[in-house]
Amino acid sequence: MNYLKKNFVKFIELVLSLILAIGSFTVFAACPLSEEHVMACHYAQLAVTTLGVILVVQSLAAVIISNEKVKLGITLAQIPTAVAVFLVPGTIFSLCMMSSMRCISIFQPAVRVISAIVFVVSVADVVISVIKKNKQGVSK
């Protein structure tokens, strides 16, 4: 129980990363592939899935590893990864032209909301870790 309490924020990051990685090709996937050509939004979806998997691996490593300095480093690495995921649909990769298309109406908002939450949780995790470290340093 103490382990769960100690790593609660890291588990939240893991769950959000899993939602992002799995949801990007299932629940809130971009436009389906057509037989005629592959649209740019498909590549945006692949990039989001890849970055989502990287976030999952980072989050899982932060849960498993016991060294607090390494955990802090991993969490710091999640912040730019979350920013990259946020920028993929519509900024790094262009999406379809019509706002009624699935990639603009579902994929982009879902990716941006979830990646923004991952960003906020990761920043909060870093702040909490630094505050805990400072309190431990003062009490010694």
Side-chain angles (χ1 to χ4, degrees), residues 83-127:
V83 171
V85 175
F86 184 89
L87 294 174
V88 164
T91 304
I92 296 173
F93 287 91
S94 61
L95 299 177
C96 299
M97 300 297 256
M98 295 180 354
S99 60
S100 62
M101 297 294 287
R102 182 172 173 82
C103 59
I104 292 179
S105 62
I106 296 172
F107 176 71
Q108 184 180 34
V111 168
R112 289 204 167 167
V113 166
I114 295 169
S115 61
I117 295 170
V118 170
F119 174 83
V120 169
V121 171
S122 296
V123 168
D125 191 9
V126 168
V127 170

Side-chain angles (χ1 to χ4, degrees), residues 69 72 127-138:
K69 289 180 181 178
L72 179 60
V127 170
I128 290 166
S129 297
V130 169
I131 290 171
K132 280 183 182 177
K133 185 176 186 229
N134 287 341
K135 281 186 179 181
Q136 290 172 352
V138 170

Side-chain angles (χ1 to χ4, degrees), residues 7-14 59 62-63 71 75 125 129:
N7 291 298
F8 183 72
V9 177
K10 306 234 182 289
F11 279 111
I12 292 173
E13 291 167 339
L14 178 59
S59 301
V63 168
K71 284 184 178 212
T75 305
D125 191 9
S129 297

